[in-house]
Amino acid sequence: MNNRRLILIVEDEDGISNFISAILGSNDYQTVRARTGREAISLAASRSPDLVLLDLGLPDMDGLAVLKALRAWSRVPVIVVSARGHEREKVEALDLGADDYVTKPFGTSELLARIRTALRHNLAAAAEEPGAGAGVLVIGDLTIDDERRRVSRAGAEVHLTPIEYRIVLLLARHAGKVLTHAFICKEIWGPYTNENQALRVNMANIRRKLEENPAEPCYIVTEIGVGYRMVDGAGSA
Amino acid sequence: MDRGEEKRPDPDRILERIRAEEPRRVGRLKIFFGYAAGVGKTYAMLDEAQELLRRGVDVVAGYIEPHTRPETAQLVSGLPALPPKPVLHKGIELKEFDLDLALERKPEVILVDELAHTNAEGVRNRKRYQDVEELLQAGIDVYTTVNVQHLESLNDVVQSITQVYVRETIPDHLFDYADKVKLIDIEPEELLKRLNEGKVYRPDRAEVAMQHFFTSQNLRLLREIAMRKAADRVSHEHQPELRYTEKTAGVKLLVCISASPSSAKSIRWAARTADAFHAPWTVLYVETKESELVGEEARKQLRSHMELAERLGADIVTLNGHEVAPVVAEYVKHAGITNIVIGKSRNPRTLRSLFESDFADQLIARLGNIELHIIADTAAPLKKSARPAAALGRNLDFSWRHVLTLLALLTAATLVSFGLRAAHLGEQNVMMIYILSVLVISRLTPGYLYGVAGSVLSVLCYNFFFTKPYYTFNAIQAGYPITFVVMLIVALITSALTVRIKTQARLAAERERRTEVLYEINKKLLVTRGLEPIVELTKDYLVRLFHRSAVIYTRDPVDGWDGASFRQAAEEPDASFLMTADERAVAHWVFANQKRAGAGTDTLRGAGGFYMPVMAQSKVLGVIGLSCREGRLLDQNNRIFLRMISSLVAMALERQALSDEQRSILIESEKEKMRSNLLRAISHDLRTPLTGILGASSVLLENEGRLAADVRRKLIADIREDSQWLIRLVENLLSVTRIGESGASVAKTPEAAEEIVAEAISRIRKRFPERRIHVSIPDELLLVPMDGTLIEQVLINLVENAVKHSGADSLIEVTVSRQSGTAVFEVSDNGEGIPAEELPHLFESYVSAEKKRADSSRGMGIGLSICMSIIKAHGGRMEAANKPEGGAVLRFTLPMKGDEAL
């Protein structure tokens, strides 16, 4: 009946809640609000939203606890809203299953971009057949051909080592979404290894090979203290 | 804000601090004092303990001597008791008081019977009273029992009365220092009755005791002594000032001691007399050449005399000299002594005593109006057998060089005499020449041997060459024997004089050397700053002066290793045993008990080193340990020297501690000032954008519908701009809190420099999209340990400043490079640059009263000073300069630990 997506806003500050609602409403989303963690969990269960915006600084429960509860039975995309300076919280949330984050204070365009990305990935994941290759990914100038294992930028081929290729592919598959250091390490090198240093080194090499100006990367963006994000072809920050 | 108020400290807090710094409470000692065994001291003590127990005080029986009296034994039951420590000694298991258990248990009051008991070997302290001292030091009150014959100063008096030698004594100062002394008294007849009834000793021992000790006469006398002692205490108690200030007619006592056993008696007598007169007293020992020859037995005796004197509270002085009497006389005159005490034992009359005058006579002869007290002693005199042979041996050094000197001089003399004869200059001068030669021989050679040999030989030469008949050994003329004798005497006297002068010179030189060393140490310590250098300097001197390895602790070793500093002496075999856990335990004991311990003392004698506390104002600042391996104990002389050195060190350490404290107070107040400055600056900076927001939003709300669209837009854009400014400010503040309390701790993780720069620039671009910013990074990856968020903050601040201070079309450059071990970040613009007068104050967070503060200058002030703090906390440096081609450049560096670049 109603084609609009439903977004659950979990935020105890009325002011912020108001303006997020306004933005989302004017961008063709439907919204429902929760002020406490418990309310959030019950609303998520009853209303089944398409995305949850979760503020980590809730009065009654730890935001992370809400996230854990949600993830126990739902794969609904969750974007956490955190305050600046609480990096560890963000990383923890991402590792616990959150899809992305925004930092207060955030610009509206940023928020909208993240929501779009999260929804898109979710749909893609739902529609994916298990075991299928990703085919060809195009992000801006960048083309990643998984079947032939080739990466090219503006037509020119870029030579990547196997590890570098896997990293680029991983980021591209989750384009627009932030991936934590821990996640990337686990995916590339396996669990129970700590290859942080190797990751940095690899990222530096990738930047030098892919980016026009490695000092101002436009494809792979660093999120200090959290991880890396490949920009969305649809233009996100 | 009222400036005056912020400076005034809070009086309550000061009181609290003073109270906290008060010395730890020391335990109180109560002595139950009696004149003999069996008067009921233990009974009274236990009785009181039971009373305390009923009142709910935490009383524990530490050690009670097993008593035969059933009434006493009954009182023991019901009291919580510590199990005694079994100690194996020569196959017998003895039970001793368990001190460590008591210290652990830490009761309010503990009962320890028989204060004068000597502990078995293997126990930490030699005497039980030392155990009690430790308990008191730990803040535990102690009840104990003492018999009158156990007091050190009364020991010989009691002995003379009872003919029983009591070896276990306690130093008088313990008795005097005790908080309460309760005299337990019964009639002697009553005591004898008890003895008969077997209530004091077992029946078989009672018999023996009755005969010697427990006679009616003895008991009465002992009772009198005990009562008098207690009465003395009472009168002292009530006149505390008199005790310290009144010196009766300026009496000052001096006791001359030697290794002879009679000295002990003199010392005790002097102690009692000094106490009665409230006079200071000194113990003097004169070291002569002979004293180096005494045997080990005598040396030990001397050491025990000195320790006795120390225990009884005397000053100890050791002087050197050739003869005892003149040295003593000198000292007496200089120190203002009024009474001299000497001991005298009956020496067998020897040939020597015919020639030497009595020591007492010598003193009187030199000192005239002095009161001399002679304490006769009937104990056996010191064995003198060892002395003469050794003495002779010392003076019979034999070396070929001296023989040559002798012969050469004699030959010279002979030749000169021949010359005289040939020149007819008078034969009487020949004798003079020979006498002169003997003089010179004695002067140039050590000991008596060569002088005497020289005189004999010269007499023979004279006889042979110069007396008629020539070239024979006959002496015809009547006067010649006299000549010979005279020459011999001359030789002997000169030799003796020379020997004495040389000795004195040597002794004086040694003394001077010592004083010089002390002066030198003092001078050096005065200019040494810093704990490390003081300790190093002290170690240097200790090893040099005592030729032993030394260890110095500046902190109790129980708090950690880093307080210990060790130096191995070159002359010694490996002394690293000084750093083992056992030795550290001894040092810890010294720290806790403020007394010396280790080899050669009464405590922890088995240790490998001798440890002495360095004290100032009854606080232990450190402990000095000297290695005494292979039984080389420190003699009294060295100990006194060490003590003098340690007092110098104490002063230096104290001074260091005070200056450290002062510095930390200064730093604290600096930080406080900085913090309040920062808060002031921040609140000022907060008001401006808030005013703007409030203003713009009010206008919009009140004039709804009446404003033109572009005006409305402008106002809203202003609100946004101001909000962003506030966000930046808040982020800066948050950065400050991340730096941490001490201002020097930052959580660093290795981050890629280029990633930090990239993120910072991307955020700047979001705010100022139209500005030209050029970023360049090196080819190699720079992994720099840093707090990524903070450094990003710094970069954002710097670039924002550049944006605000250069024209809209100027180029801002951000570069990262590496120079040896540091990463260098530079932000430069080509705007107007920084005004010269602001350059030195750029990084201070001043609240400027500049009225010409335009919008654009909002970037300065707090932002840069916070950047400086962040960089400093990372251990890096930050600076600003103007480029020669125009524009400013701000640069900061971060250390890269080790080579982390690829």
Side-chain angles (χ1 to χ4, degrees):
Chain A
M1 170 179 128
N2 198 339
N3 214 354
R4 293 197 296 165
R5 309 281 186 72
L6 177 63
I7 298 188
L8 170 62
I9 305 174
V10 187
E11 171 63 63
D12 59 321
E13 296 265 345
D14 276 343
I16 301 180
S17 194
N18 279 339
F19 101 81
I20 295 182
S21 257
I23 301 279
L24 294 179
S26 69
N27 273 279
D28 218 24
Y29 294 103
Q30 228 183 342
T31 61
V32 62
R33 296 200 238 172
R35 272 191 193 77
T36 66
R38 257 178 277 272
E39 210 181 325
I41 296 176
S42 78
L43 276 176
S46 61
R47 299 292 298 272
S48 203
D50 294 295
L51 184 132
V52 178
L53 271 180
L54 177 59
D55 177 28
L56 287 180
L58 290 173
D60 64 330
M61 277 173 78
D62 188 14
L64 295 174
V66 176
L67 180 60
K68 266 201 279 211
L70 279 179
R71 276 284 170 264
W73 52 266
S74 165
R75 280 259 6 134
V76 64
V78 177
I79 297 183
V80 291
V81 180
S82 74
R84 176 143 172 86
H86 292 175
E87 258 76 39
R88 257 214 334 248
E89 234 182 14
K90 280 196 296 239
V91 175
E92 237 185 289
L94 288 169
D95 283 334
L96 277 175
D99 292 71
D100 215 324
Y101 73 95
V102 285
T103 317
K104 276 197 286 211
F106 48 81
T108 50
S109 52
E110 204 179 317
L111 175 67
L112 287 169
R114 304 261 163 107
I115 290 176
R116 267 202 303 275
T117 311
L119 286 173
R120 195 184 63 237
H121 280 294
N122 200 37
L123 279 178
E128 214 174 68
E129 301 108 53
V136 176
L137 293 165
V138 177
I139 292 150
D141 269 348
L142 218 50
T143 313
I144 302 167
D145 188 339
D146 194 27
E147 281 163 29
R148 266 176 264 155
R149 295 189 104 77
R150 277 181 60 207
V151 178
S152 51
R153 176 163 71 88
E157 184 171 344
V158 179
H159 293 284
L160 299 172
T161 71
I163 299 268
E164 288 165 8
Y165 175 78
R166 285 172 64 190
I167 295 177
V168 172
L169 186 64
L170 182 66
L171 285 167
R173 281 219 179 101
H174 295 270
K177 215 168 100 133
V178 68
L179 301 178
T180 61
H181 299 298
F183 180 79
I184 301 177
C185 282
K186 197 175 70 147
E187 290 292 308
I188 305 293
W189 283 284
Y192 310 122
T193 56
N194 185 1
E195 295 282 353
N196 239 307
Q197 189 107 337
L199 179 58
R200 306 295 164 107
V201 170
N202 274 296
M203 288 312 296
N205 288 334
I206 290 174
R207 264 197 296 269
R208 277 161 181 73
K209 291 183 183 172
L210 281 185
E211 305 280 355
E212 179 121 9
N213 181 4
E216 300 197 61
C218 25
Y219 297 111
I220 300 179
V221 167
T222 312
E223 317 251 332
I224 296 296
V226 180
Y228 299 98
R229 182 201 303 267
M230 178 167 286
V231 304
D232 213 332
S236 63
Chain B
M1 229 194 290
D2 190 348
R3 283 239 136 129
E5 248 180 29
E6 21 179 89
K7 295 289 180 204
R8 213 158 34 131
D10 180 22
D12 285 316
R13 274 187 55 207
I14 297 181
L15 262 178
E16 244 179 66
R17 225 194 7 240
I18 293 178
R19 225 171 275 146
E21 285 167 20
E22 250 177 35
R24 312 194 294 276
R25 183 190 155 263
V26 178
R28 288 182 298 239
L29 179 63
K30 178 158 180 175
I31 299 184
F32 292 80
F33 188 52
Y35 67 86
V39 298
K41 305 182 294 294
T42 315
Y43 186 87
M45 179 172 77
L46 288 168
D47 197 31
E48 248 193 66
Q50 288 282 357
E51 174 65 38
L52 286 179
L53 193 64
R54 274 194 288 274
R55 272 198 270 147
V57 175
D58 180 17
V59 184
V60 158
Y63 187 84
I64 307 289
E65 294 283 348
H67 267 79
T68 53
R69 291 175 58 198
E71 303 95 24
T72 317
Q74 204 174 51
L75 277 177
V76 178
S77 70
L79 276 178
L82 289 177
K85 188 159 92 162
V87 177
L88 211 53
H89 181 67
K90 296 192 181 137
I92 313 172
E93 192 182 79
L94 300 169
K95 293 218 188 323
E96 293 288 355
F97 169 54
D98 197 339
L99 174 62
D100 289 312
L101 195 58
L103 286 171
E104 236 181 270
R105 167 78 171 72
K106 217 166 189 286
E108 268 185 67
V109 179
I110 191 169
L111 308 180
V112 180
D113 213 354
E114 292 299 330
L115 189 61
H117 175 80
T118 308
N119 289 327
E121 283 219 23
V123 180
R124 171 152 92 236
N125 292 316
R126 195 164 72 90
K127 305 281 291 178
R128 187 172 287 163
Y129 71 78
Q130 291 173 309
D131 293 340
V132 167
E133 276 177 327
E134 272 196 54
L135 290 168
L136 293 171
Q137 190 79 315
I140 306 173
D141 289 345
V142 179
Y143 283 17
T144 186
T145 60
V146 173
N147 274 343
V148 67
Q149 68 261 32
H150 293 142
L151 288 176
E152 183 76 74
S153 63
L154 297 175
N155 185 281
D156 49 349
V157 172
V158 167
Q159 187 190 329
S160 62
I161 293 177
T162 63
Q163 303 304 317
V164 174
Y165 180 49
V166 175
R167 240 180 298 135
E168 305 195 316
T169 59
I170 62 167
D172 281 55
H173 74 79
L174 259 188
F175 186 83
D176 298 330
Y177 150 90
D179 199 57
K180 291 202 190 55
V181 170
K182 186 159 173 169
L183 180 66
I184 311 295
D185 185 56
I186 59 171
E187 292 285 333
E189 284 72 32
E190 175 76 37
L191 180 60
L192 285 171
K193 199 155 69 112
R194 281 200 194 159
L195 188 66
N196 277 327
E197 291 170 9
K199 285 190 178 168
V200 179
Y201 294 127
R202 286 199 309 274
D204 47 339
R205 286 185 64 193
E207 186 71 38
V208 176
M210 279 256 272
Q211 281 170 1
H212 291 131
F213 194 87
F214 279 72
T215 64
S216 191
Q217 171 88 332
N218 283 354
L219 292 178
R220 262 204 294 274
L221 286 170
L222 285 174
R223 189 183 183 207
E224 195 181 314
I225 294 176
M227 284 185 155
R228 192 174 307 155
K229 187 78 186 167
D232 268 347
R233 224 191 99 91
V234 170
S235 73
H236 282 179
E237 257 173 27
H238 289 224
Q239 304 160 28
E241 309 88 51
L242 279 185
R243 179 174 215 149
Y244 295 115
T245 62
E246 183 190 302
K247 309 253 190 277
T248 314
V251 169
K252 235 177 140 181
L253 286 156
L254 176 74
V255 186
C256 297
I257 63 166
S258 66
S260 149
S262 64
S263 293
K265 205 167 163 195
S266 322
I267 293 175
R268 291 211 183 90
W269 185 89
R272 291 198 292 272
T273 317
D275 200 40
F277 278 105
H278 306 291
W281 60 294
T282 313
V283 161
L284 174 64
Y285 173 62
V286 180
E287 229 180 64
T288 65
K289 201 147 187 295
E290 289 178 351
S291 38
E292 296 171 27
L293 313 169
V294 296
E296 186 58 34
E297 177 69 39
R299 249 195 274 269
K300 267 205 330 208
Q301 185 77 274
L302 182 62
R303 199 163 47 221
S304 83
H305 288 327
M306 292 207 173
E307 283 169 11
L308 171 64
E310 245 187 272
R311 278 205 299 273
L312 290 172
D315 289 326
I316 304 192
V317 174
T318 311
L319 296 175
N320 294 309
H322 190 75
E323 274 176 27
V324 183
V327 174
V328 172
E330 273 300 305
Y331 182 78
V332 162
K333 281 191 224 153
H334 281 145
I337 305 286
T338 57
N339 300 58
I340 307 183
V341 180
I342 62 176
K344 192 164 165 49
S345 36
R346 259 187 80 88
N347 290 327
R349 286 202 157 278
T350 61
L351 200 61
R352 242 165 143 202
S353 50
L354 279 182
F355 288 108
E356 283 180 355
S357 56
D358 198 52
F359 180 55
D361 288 333
Q362 286 181 27
L363 281 180
I364 296 176
R366 287 165 197 274
L367 293 170
N369 262 347
I370 196 87
E371 275 184 34
L372 193 60
H373 305 265
I374 301 184
I375 311 294
D377 185 44
T378 48
L382 201 58
K383 282 205 295 280
K384 294 205 179 157
S385 52
R387 289 175 49 222
L392 213 49
R394 262 310 163 84
N395 289 328
L396 292 182
D397 310 319
F398 193 77
S399 101
W400 287 110
R401 191 165 60 97
H402 297 312
V403 172
L404 275 173
T405 320
L406 173 66
L407 290 176
L409 280 168
L410 276 179
T411 322
T414 316
L415 288 175
V416 169
S417 307
F418 270 128
L420 277 182
R421 190 162 59 172
H424 294 293
L425 281 179
E427 289 200 5
Q428 62 275 28
N429 290 325
V430 172
M431 268 173 283
M432 292 306 169
I433 304 286
Y434 274 113
I435 292 180
L436 180 62
S437 74
V438 165
L439 215 96
V440 175
I441 291 172
S442 305
R443 173 74 182 82
L444 291 181
T445 60
Y448 294 100
L449 170 65
Y450 301 98
V452 170
S455 63
V456 167
L457 282 176
S458 56
V459 165
L460 290 175
C461 283
Y462 185 65
N463 190 341
F464 191 74
F465 289 112
F466 298 100
T467 59
K468 301 190 171 67
Y470 292 148
Y471 303 108
T472 64
F473 275 115
N474 294 330
I476 295 188
Q477 280 190 277
Y480 287 147
I482 300 182
T483 319
F484 304 151
V485 167
V486 165
M487 285 178 83
L488 200 61
I489 293 176
V490 163
L492 284 171
I493 293 179
T494 318
S495 297
L497 266 179
T498 326
V499 163
R500 180 203 295 215
I501 289 177
K502 283 206 200 134
T503 321
Q504 269 191 351
R506 185 173 58 84
L507 292 172
E510 214 177 276
R511 228 180 319 154
E512 191 187 316
R513 183 185 68 97
R514 223 164 236 207
T515 318
E516 229 181 83
V517 165
L518 282 175
Y519 176 60
E520 200 184 299
I521 295 180
N522 197 19
K523 224 170 33 150
K524 289 232 179 98
L525 280 176
L526 272 177
V527 298
T528 311
R529 301 249 173 270
L531 191 59
E532 267 291 322
I534 290 180
V535 170
E536 285 301 310
L537 185 70
T538 314
K539 267 192 310 191
D540 265 340
Y541 273 108
L542 285 177
V543 168
R544 211 158 20 115
L545 292 171
F546 295 99
H547 306 292
R548 295 158 190 264
S549 306
V551 61
I552 299 183
Y553 292 88
T554 49
R555 281 218 319 258
D556 196 333
V558 84
D559 293 332
W561 265 111
D562 47 341
S565 182
F566 168 72
R567 172 75 59 85
Q568 166 78 39
E571 302 101 336
E572 269 207 321
D574 178 36
S576 54
F577 64 83
L578 281 178
M579 297 298 265
T580 60
D582 286 340
E583 299 293 318
R584 285 173 69 204
V586 181
H588 164 62
W589 189 92
V590 173
F591 261 103
N593 290 274
Q594 308 185 351
K595 287 202 297 218
R596 24 173 225 204
T601 67
D602 281 341
T603 310
L604 297 163
R605 272 170 298 166
F610 172 76
Y611 295 86
M612 157 176 281
V614 174
M615 304 212 9
Q617 290 177 26
S618 43
K619 252 192 353 160
V620 183
L621 296 173
V623 169
I624 294 180
L626 288 178
S627 123
C628 294
R629 247 307 139 85
E630 293 151 23
R632 289 170 46 223
L633 299 177
L634 279 176
D635 63 6
Q636 191 66 13
N637 236 347
N638 275 334
R639 280 200 213 179
I640 296 180
F641 196 31
L642 183 62
R643 197 148 23 136
M644 291 196 265
I645 294 181
S646 88
S647 67
L648 290 177
V649 175
M651 276 202 296
L653 286 177
E654 202 182 19
R655 186 175 31 89
Q656 185 60 38
L658 283 174
S659 100
D660 281 342
E661 206 181 301
Q662 191 187 42
R663 204 160 32 139
S664 70
I665 290 179
L666 266 171
I667 293 182
E668 270 307 310
S669 76
E670 273 300 315
K671 268 204 285 189
E672 274 307 309
K673 247 195 294 182
M674 229 176 38
R675 226 167 277 172
S676 53
N677 271 345
L678 190 63
L679 283 175
R680 245 191 302 248
I682 289 171
S683 46
H684 185 276
D685 271 11
L686 276 175
R687 262 180 281 188
T688 321
L690 285 174
T691 316
I693 294 176
L694 186 60
S697 48
S698 312
V699 168
L700 283 166
L701 285 169
E702 287 158 16
N703 296 300
E704 210 169 329
R706 281 199 298 236
L707 293 169
D710 57 341
V711 173
R712 251 208 328 261
R713 238 194 117 65
K714 176 79 172 48
L715 285 171
I716 293 175
D718 281 346
I719 292 181
R720 189 159 100 159
E721 177 69 28
D722 278 332
S723 312
Q724 280 174 323
W725 169 244
L726 279 174
I727 291 173
R728 181 70 58 244
L729 189 62
V730 166
E731 286 174 356
N732 274 334
L733 291 179
L734 278 174
S735 311
V736 172
T737 63
R738 281 172 76 122
I739 293 183
E741 279 296 286
S742 59
S745 57
V746 163
K748 292 193 202 172
T749 52
E751 301 275 359
E754 57 204 54
E755 291 181 358
I756 307 285
V757 171
E759 188 167 316
I761 297 301
S762 81
R763 290 178 63 181
I764 294 279
R765 283 212 199 281
K766 271 190 249 172
R767 268 187 75 188
F768 307 101
E770 67 291 343
R771 297 300 297 257
R772 292 191 297 152
I773 307 178
H774 179 242
V775 184
S776 74
I777 56 171
D779 277 333
E780 50 169 344
L781 169 65
L782 287 176
L783 275 178
V784 186
M786 62 164 98
D787 181 327
T789 323
L790 286 178
I791 299 298
E792 191 190 341
Q793 194 68 21
V794 172
L795 281 166
I796 292 179
N797 273 333
L798 289 180
V799 177
E800 246 185 41
N801 272 333
V803 163
K804 292 233 152 95
H805 284 83
S806 54
D809 59 344
S810 68
L811 173 68
I812 298 174
E813 285 188 53
V814 180
T815 49
V816 180
S817 57
R818 181 178 141 153
Q819 280 168 25
S820 53
T822 52
V824 182
F825 297 76
E826 270 186 22
V827 174
S828 67
D829 62 71
N830 48 13
E832 328 107 22
I834 306 169
E837 64 269 14
E838 281 181 30
L839 211 45
H841 303 295
L842 211 55
F843 298 108
E844 292 169 22
S845 67
Y846 57 77
V847 179
S848 98
E850 291 172 29
K851 294 303 173 210
K852 62 177 167 67
R853 246 184 134 193
D855 235 5
S856 58
S857 73
R858 258 196 263 151
M860 296 289 220
I862 297 191
L864 283 183
S865 76
I866 288 182
C867 290
M868 182 57 113
S869 314
I870 293 176
I871 298 299
K872 266 208 209 142
H874 278 78
R877 290 197 7 239
M878 184 150 151
E879 59 199 12
N882 281 317
K883 288 197 296 194
E885 58 266 31
V889 59
L890 285 111
R891 183 182 308 125
F892 67 89
T893 64
L894 291 177
M896 296 168 59
K897 249 191 328 185
D899 197 340
E900 271 160 318
L902 249 203

